[in-house]
Amino acid sequence: PFRRKKRIAFAARGEITLAALREPSLPSLVEFGARTLMQAVRADRAAVWVAGSGASRVFSGSVAGSADEPQPEGWECLDVSASFFEDLLTKQEPLVMDLEKSPLVPMIGPLLGMRRAAWMPLRAGSRVLGLAMAAYHSLQPPVPTGLLGDLGNELALAVMSRREADLRARREEDLA
């Protein structure tokens, strides 16, 4: 089992970067990122939300869960205007929380039925690109925060790369 976990973690690193080149759009990249994150950190549910280009405090994204678990409408949006999220988005490292002992965590849809959540802001320097979350039904085993941090950094670079590619394509269309 230990070797298998290492193989999954190793295989996950780099996959998101490759997806930034392969996926045709930011939404498909974000969906791939949420599924990859869930599998790599062995979460019961994972989500990736990205900031819009304007001043909106509502991020959009994708939530991944088990195949037999329906994803209610609305989970793909996350309002980050609550002080919990504003504080969280300033962090550089993953934050793991016991949801039963953390009354400050807003009970957003993707946390329903979960006992623990790990959050990773997606940042490029001081610029906030989004937020990743891995959630678990139980408090054990420990969350692989190193891997979560690595994947969060990779997601941030992939999102930035996809946005720049989309911007270049729009500029080329405008010039044509």
Side-chain angles (χ1 to χ4, degrees):
F2 182 71
R3 282 189 190 158
R4 185 167 185 261
K5 286 181 187 178
K6 286 251 188 212
R7 278 199 311 265
I8 290 172
F10 182 75
R13 287 185 173 100
E15 283 297 310
I16 295 169
T17 301
L18 292 173
L21 302 170
R22 173 179 75 233
E23 294 296 329
S25 66
L26 184 58
S28 62
L29 171 64
V30 168
E31 183 179 334
F32 179 84
R35 283 192 320 266
T36 302
L37 179 65
M38 185 180 84
Q39 292 169 352
V41 299
R42 299 193 176 276
D44 296 303
R45 193 174 292 143
V48 175
W49 295 281
V50 293
S53 57
S56 174
R57 300 304 291 157
V58 177
F59 290 9
S60 62
S62 180
V63 177
S66 69
D68 60 339
E69 179 183 68
Q71 299 299 314
E73 215 167 295
W75 282 15
E76 70 279 355
C77 294
L78 178 68
D79 184 344
V80 296
S81 61
S83 62
F84 169 79
F85 291 114
E86 289 193 6
D87 292 344
L88 180 63
L89 290 170
T90 64
K91 302 208 177 302
Q92 300 291 327
E93 299 296 323
L95 175 67
V96 179
M97 304 182 86
D98 177 341
L99 297 174
E100 295 172 345
K101 295 180 181 175
S102 302
L104 300 177
V105 179
M107 272 318 267
I108 59 171
L111 293 178
L112 291 175
M114 300 293 139
R115 294 186 63 201
R116 184 173 48 154
W119 305 90
M120 180 63 198
L122 307 180
R123 305 175 61 83
S126 63
R127 186 172 160 206
V128 174
L129 299 172
L131 182 63
M133 178 210 66
Y136 301 83
H137 290 298
S138 70
L139 297 176
Q140 294 296 325
V143 176
T145 54
L147 177 59
L148 180 62
D150 290 349
L151 292 174
N153 291 333
E154 192 174 339
L155 273 163
L157 290 172
V159 166
M160 197 166 57
S161 174
R162 178 79 258 159
R163 283 191 170 155
E164 288 173 0
D166 291 348
L167 181 59
R168 274 193 311 275
R170 280 195 301 276
R171 285 182 181 155
E172 288 172 8
E173 284 177 9
D174 290 346
L175 292 174

